[in-house]
């Protein structure tokens, strides 16, 4: 069961002088661990990175707000880092569209499309919220449902 | 028209993400930026490394890496500097507590521009956990309630009361640290379920309530007894601090530098309640991660469809059930693994084995914390910068930083994924390593020890896989809109 008795083990435990100190072993194992993850993860990461050329065309999205909501297919916007994003917002009621995190906002009045253009410089998921005119209350720290979500992926 | 299952799935997700549930709030108070789920590659890589490295550790122990000697660490003498620093930080802690209460009670009502929620939920609860785990537990020097109690206690002693201000009530032994376990679950419930946890007024009231409770507790049972059994924060930070490379020294003027994690294998006897506490440290972070996943939204939808009575607008019933449920599940899985180990080694009860290995789970808890909260700390922690110039919301600009706004691009999603996967796998490996060390100390021969730690290793692989899965919930392609 225990092969340590033979002299050809990695670190013969029978001779305590030959055993590297605990700290050294500890960190060498950590090193092995990190190296292994790199070896496995990096090829997985490079593939998508190579698949994208530089962004040139702005990514255009429509937000058609009716009854404080947008159609299901408009609820998630996927872009990649450093894409230029162009939102075209129309609404059946006056109010403001806020993009949290990016601190972008645009006022909307019924019957006229409003545009919002910005560069998606930071990765993550961000909420796009609808604040109808006259609704200022902040009753809790959990926001209401988002109008839509902007997902910015790394390249 | 042919709809692929993936597209149908995507539509379901999209609908769930939309307006189906008013209470479908994301975990955590500050809703500016949320982490992206990691691509599947990270999960596969992390899981493979987890399983593979577990075997490597086992093999190393089989080969007889059997020197179990405790390294005492290096004692660093700081002379009179340390007591002075301690006194200064205690004063700072009391001042900060006062400022948090003032800001909370009369400052801005917006959580993002008020010192109280930022300092409590981000800098203290998340930031100090990282410091306690990765550097050393500095909470004893920063605990304002301890500072207040000990100052009053000292004063009373000097005025001639032999017992200070403590009433010296007998703490019921049977309770153990169960009060702290309950308080930790309650605290996390407030953090992730209670919808008003970050609102300054509510937060200040809660801090006042906790201040009264903890000061009363220390007066009734004595400072040390209270802090060791019921003071959830002292116990939480000191448990994390056992992992840290720096620890308190043998006397008041020194600290100890030691290899990380060795503080977790010191031969202390844990109570069964301590097992519950460590499991809660693990399960609560995992549950918080779970809350933000789309799987959770689907689960909510499913419950709403089958048992409508369980759904309330705030998600209290489901949230509370989930929080306690994950804890019970993790506890049960741990006890099951310990029962198998007890069967393998024969001369121990499952309970004894559970107590023996409880602290080996701490590195996994720390890893969950880093994986889950690091980007939150880095991005949302920046909200403190404007508040440094205007802590009480009076329109001051003391340091010229009052107009600073957090840089949301400070760390990239790819960095977060890499850090999360690495820390989860590294935490797992350290836990497996600790379990082997303890098994070797308790059960003797390398072969027997490795065999005895097999059930625990399998359990740790499961814990790790679960947390990787939450981090990398499979990406589902939504129907692209626009363009």
């Amino acid at each position: 069961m225990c092969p340590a008795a033979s002299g050809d083990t990695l670190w013969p435990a029978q001779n305590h002088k030959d055993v590297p100190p605990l700290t050294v072993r500890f960190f060498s194992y950590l090193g092995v661990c990190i190296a292994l993850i790199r070896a496995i993860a990096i090829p997985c990461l490079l593939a998508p990175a190579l698949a994208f050329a530089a962004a040139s065309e702005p990514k255009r999205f429509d937000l058609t707000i009716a009854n404080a909501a947008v159609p299901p297919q408009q609820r998630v916007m996927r872009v990649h880092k450093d894409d230029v994003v162009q939102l075209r917002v129309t609404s059946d009621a006056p109010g403001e569209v806020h993009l949290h995190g990016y601190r972008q906002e645009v006022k909307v009045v019924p019957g006229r499309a409003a545009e919002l253009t910005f560069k998606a410089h930071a990765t993550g998921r961000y909420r796009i919220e609808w604040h109808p005119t006259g609704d200022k209350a902040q009753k809790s720290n959990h926001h209401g449902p988002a109008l839509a979500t902007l997902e910015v992926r790394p390249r | 028209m042919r709809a692929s299952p993936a597209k149908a799935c995507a539509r379901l997700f999209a609908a769930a993400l939309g307006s189906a549930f008013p209470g479908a709030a994301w975990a955590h108070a500050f809703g500016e930026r949320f982490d992206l789920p990691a691509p599947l590659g990270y999960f596969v890589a992390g899981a493979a490394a987890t399983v593979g490295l577990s075997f490597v550790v086992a093999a190393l122990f089989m080969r007889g890496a059997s020197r179990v000697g405790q390294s005492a660490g290096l004692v660093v003498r700081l002379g009179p500097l340390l007591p002075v620093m301690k006194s200064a930080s205690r004063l700072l802690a009391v001042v900060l507590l006062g400022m948090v209460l003032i800001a909370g009670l009369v400052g801005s009502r917006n959580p993002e521009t008020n010192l109280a929620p930022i300092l409590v939920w981000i800098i203290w609860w998340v930031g100090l956990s990282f410091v306690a785990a990765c550097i050393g537990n500095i909470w004893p020097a920063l605990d304002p309630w301890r500072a207040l109690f000990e100052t009053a206690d000292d004063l009373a002693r000097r005025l001639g009361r032999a017992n200070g201000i403590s009433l010296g009530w007998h703490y019921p032994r049977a309770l153990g640290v169960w009060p702290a376990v309950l308080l930790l679950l309650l605290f996390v419930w407030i953090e992730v379920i209670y919808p008003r946890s970050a609102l300054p007024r509510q937060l200040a009231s809660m801090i006042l309530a906790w201040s009264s409770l903890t000061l009363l507790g220390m007066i009734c049972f004595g400072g040390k007894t209270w802090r060791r059994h019921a003071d959830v924060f002292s116990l939480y930070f000191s448990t994390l601090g056992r992992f840290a490379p720096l620890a308190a020294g043998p006397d008041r003027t020194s600290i100890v530098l030691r290899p990380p994690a060795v503080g977790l294998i010191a031969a202390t006897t844990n109570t069964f309640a301590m097992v519950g506490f460590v499991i809660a440290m693990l399960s609560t972070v995992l549950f918080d991660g779970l809350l933000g996943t789309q799987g959770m939204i689907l689960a909510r939808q499913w419950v709403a469809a089958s048992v409508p009575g369980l759904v309330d607008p705030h998600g209290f019933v489901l949230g509370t059930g989930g929080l306690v449920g994950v804890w019970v599940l993790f506890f049960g899985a741990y006890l099951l693994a310990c029962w198998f180990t007890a069967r393998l080694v024969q001369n121990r009860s499952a309970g004894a084995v559970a107590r023996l290995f409880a602290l080996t789970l701490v590195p996994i808890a720390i890893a969950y914390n880093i994986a889950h909260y690091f980007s939150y700390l880095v991005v949302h922690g920046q909200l403190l910068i404007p508040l440094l110039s205007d802590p009480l919301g009076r329109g001051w600009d003391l340091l010229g930083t009052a107009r600073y706004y957090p840089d949301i691009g400070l760390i990239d999603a790819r960095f977060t994924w890499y850090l999360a996967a690495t820390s989860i796998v590294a935490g797992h490996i350290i836990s497996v390593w600790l379990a082997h060390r303890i098994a070797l100390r308790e059960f003797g021969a390398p072969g027997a020890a490795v065999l005895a730690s097999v059930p625990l290793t399998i359990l740790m692989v499961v814990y790790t896989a679960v947390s990787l899965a939450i981090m990398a919930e499979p990406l589902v392609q939504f129907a692209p809109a626009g363009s």
Side-chain angles (χ1 to χ4, degrees), chain A residues 1-5 8-14 16 19-23 25-27 29-30 32-34 36-38 40-42 44-45 48-49 58-62 69 72-78 81 99-103 121-127 129 138-147 149 151-155, chain B residues 14-15 17-19 21-22 25-26 28-29 31-37 41-42 45 48-49 53 60 62-67 71 109-111 192-199 259-262 292 294 405 407-409 411-414 417-418 421-422 425-426 429-430 433 437 446-447 473 475-483:
Chain A
M1 199 68 187
C2 172
D8 59 352
T9 50
L10 199 52
W11 289 307
Q14 267 59 35
H16 282 184
V19 179
L22 175 70
T23 338
R25 279 186 286 157
F26 183 88
F27 283 110
Y29 296 142
L30 267 189
V32 169
C33 160
I34 290 167
L36 257 173
I37 297 169
R38 290 185 83 113
I40 303 169
I42 283 178
C44 301
L45 304 184
K59 299 274 189 270
R60 294 195 178 82
F61 297 94
D62 283 320
Q73 71 272 17
Q74 294 183 356
R75 283 181 192 152
V76 178
M77 304 170 196
R78 288 219 158 115
K81 190 170 182 289
L99 169 57
H100 283 240
Y102 276 88
R103 291 206 300 173
H121 68 276
T123 57
R125 271 179 176 160
Y126 302 90
R127 299 163 61 92
E129 291 193 353
Q138 189 173 16
K139 293 194 187 81
S140 81
N141 54 29
H142 282 205
H143 297 270
L147 193 65
T149 309
E151 271 193 27
V152 184
R153 304 266 181 91
R155 281 188 178 277
Chain B
L17 260 183
S19 57
F21 287 89
W26 303 81
H28 273 285
E32 290 298 306
R33 176 192 171 277
F34 304 94
D35 281 334
L36 287 166
Y42 287 84
L53 289 166
L60 283 170
M62 284 297 271
R63 278 170 160 259
S66 60
R67 204 171 46 140
S71 77
R109 285 175 186 273
N110 179 353
V192 302
I193 310 283
Y194 180 59
R196 300 179 173 197
S197 57
L199 291 189
V262 298
Q294 288 160 5
Y405 187 79
D407 177 2
I408 52 172
I411 51 170
D412 192 58
R414 187 156 282 146
W417 295 336
Y418 183 65
T422 309
V425 175
I429 293 310
I430 297 170
W433 171 261
R437 290 278 315 251
E473 61 174 57
L475 289 176
V476 177
Q477 287 298 317
F478 294 87
S483 61

Side-chain angles (χ1 to χ4, degrees), chain B residues 138-162:
Chain B
I138 55 171
W139 177 239
L142 278 173
D143 183 345
W145 302 291
R146 181 177 179 168
L148 287 172
F149 174 79
E150 288 187 353
T151 310
D153 202 48
D154 269 2
L155 203 68
R157 276 174 216 272
R158 273 186 211 165
L159 292 175
R161 279 187 57 113

Side-chain angles (χ1 to χ4, degrees), chain B residues 253-344:
Chain B
T253 59
S254 61
I255 52 174
V256 172
L257 181 65
R258 58 189 182 181
V262 298
L264 295 165
I265 35 177
T268 47
T269 45
N270 299 308
T271 58
F272 194 65
M274 193 60 201
V275 182
F277 191 80
V278 175
I279 299 277
M281 287 171 66
L282 212 78
S283 73
T284 51
V285 179
L286 193 102
F287 175 71
D288 191 12
L290 203 62
L291 267 187
T293 62
Q294 288 160 5
M296 190 69 183
I297 295 171
L298 277 191
R300 222 175 245 154
Q301 209 167 24
W302 177 78
V303 172
S306 43
V307 201
L310 283 180
V311 177
D312 53 305
H314 292 293
F316 282 158
V317 177
L318 283 178
T320 312
L323 182 70
V324 177
V326 173
W327 178 68
V328 169
L329 206 68
F330 270 48
F331 209 162
Y334 178 72
L335 291 181
L336 188 69
C338 291
W339 181 79
F340 276 114
T341 297
R343 291 289 302 259
L344 286 172

